[in-house]
Amino acid sequence: EQLDEVERVHWHEQVAEALVQLHDEPNQIALPLARHYEQAQAFEPAVRYLHEAAVQAVHRYAHQAAIALIDEALALLERLENGRSRDLLELDMLLLAGPVQLATEGYSSQVVCDVYHRADQLNRTIENLPHQPSVLSGLWIYYLVRGDIDHALQLARQFVQTSYTLRKINNRIASHYAMATTLFFNGSFEDALHHAKLATKHSESEQEVDLVQLFGVDPVTGSLCYQAFALAFMGDFVQSSKLISNLMTTWGNNQTPI
């Protein structure tokens, strides 16, 4: 209480820098670091550590805590100067928020719509192709659940095209899952089966990150389900039943709920 504002800002920055130097993995103390940097009015590192703290909350399935941290970071971003660096930070926060809002608010909620449309706006402005799959995935599932199949199919096709441009296995898996799901609800069962098989074929390659964390759904399991659904609607009940039995066995042996 005896320090003036300038001194408080100075010492918060000094403490934050000392903590970073003392810890081999500063991300383990992300939230205290974010608090010190915020008090030091160093808003960019504060936002970065709030992002890391929110990621950790998501991994604990503490969705409400993650949302609170994301909202706090988005508020701090308003205090940064406009520019590409600031927009990238906001885009990262929104793409972390998307799957959390899908889980808490529902796939067709207005909150989800606002998050992904703002992310799409930012991504178009800064032309950041690596973020595009996550943006397209969020928009796709929003319009699919809303029943706008034509719009969802358009987004799924963009998703596939982008995934092959980026040459990322995870993106290809998720994009073919998006196509399979949309085509199934469009009544195009043969095409849906084709894309579902492509998704599971790509899943045999080494995956880079947790697909559920990245896209908010498990596209590998989902693609296997839509293979079974498509086969049943095409009249191949034997193969459909085999797939369903295999899935049930897998789920029974998996300790993580699907």
Side-chain angles (χ1 to χ4, degrees):
E1 295 179 359
Q2 297 178 354
L3 299 176
D4 63 27
E5 181 65 21
V6 174
E7 290 174 319
R8 275 197 294 272
V9 168
H10 170 75
W11 284 111
H12 274 293
E13 184 174 15
Q14 291 298 304
V15 170
E17 295 299 330
L19 288 171
V20 170
Q21 293 298 320
L22 287 169
H23 283 77
D24 293 332
E25 296 184 23
N27 284 344
Q28 292 183 351
I29 55 166
L31 189 53
L33 283 172
R35 298 286 180 244
H36 283 298
Y37 277 121
E38 181 181 357
Q39 292 300 315
Q41 298 181 19
F43 300 121
E44 185 168 330
V47 169
R48 293 187 187 280
Y49 281 111
L50 282 171
H51 181 277
E52 178 58 34
V55 168
Q56 293 172 14
V58 171
H59 288 162
R60 299 193 305 271
Y61 297 98
H63 290 144
Q64 295 303 326
I67 290 170
L69 291 166
I70 291 167
D71 287 344
E72 187 177 343
L74 291 172
L76 287 182
L77 282 169
E78 297 300 320
R79 305 179 72 171
L80 291 177
E81 292 185 7
N82 291 332
R84 181 179 175 83
S85 177
R86 180 224 168 275
D87 288 348
L88 278 169
L89 284 172
E90 183 181 357
L91 183 56
D92 283 338
M93 295 307 305
L94 291 171
L95 293 180
L96 177 61
V100 179
Q101 297 289 9
L102 285 169
T104 57
E105 298 292 332
Y107 285 59
S108 62
S109 74
Q110 187 61 44
V111 174
V112 169
C113 176
D114 292 343
V115 165
Y116 282 111
H117 274 287
R118 173 59 179 164
D120 185 45
Q121 179 187 16
L122 284 169
N123 202 52
R124 291 175 185 273
T125 299
I126 61 182
E127 298 180 342
N128 190 280
L129 189 60
H131 284 80
Q132 192 170 353
S134 294
V135 175
L136 290 171
S137 174
L139 288 171
W140 161 73
I141 203 163
Y142 169 77
Y143 283 105
L144 179 72
V145 176
R146 297 274 295 187
D148 190 343
I149 300 298
D150 289 341
H151 199 165
L153 191 56
Q154 179 185 358
L155 288 163
R157 288 185 176 126
Q158 286 181 250
F159 194 0
V160 171
Q161 182 178 2
T162 302
S163 73
Y164 280 86
T165 300
L166 290 171
R167 299 181 180 180
K168 295 286 186 179
I169 294 298
N170 286 333
N171 295 331
R172 291 184 186 183
I173 295 169
S175 68
H176 284 297
Y177 164 73
M179 282 294 294
T181 307
T182 313
L183 288 165
F184 176 82
F185 285 111
N186 195 44
S188 304
F189 303 125
E190 289 188 12
D191 290 337
L193 180 62
H194 170 70
H195 282 280
K197 286 182 176 179
L198 283 175
T200 52
K201 176 183 177 182
H202 285 302
S203 71
E204 296 170 3
S205 303
E206 183 176 355
Q207 297 172 27
E208 298 133 346
V209 294
D210 180 8
L211 287 168
V212 178
Q213 178 66 35
L214 187 62
F215 296 107
V217 295
D218 178 6
V220 177
T221 302
S223 295
L224 290 169
C225 289
Y226 279 103
Q227 282 187 51
F229 299 158
L231 286 166
F233 275 81
M234 292 164 62
D236 192 343
F237 298 109
V238 174
Q239 289 301 319
S240 178
S241 297
K242 287 181 179 179
L243 266 175
I244 292 171
S245 296
N246 290 337
L247 281 167
M248 295 298 290
T249 301
T250 301
W251 291 340
N253 294 333
N254 197 326
Q255 295 181 359
T256 302
I258 299 177

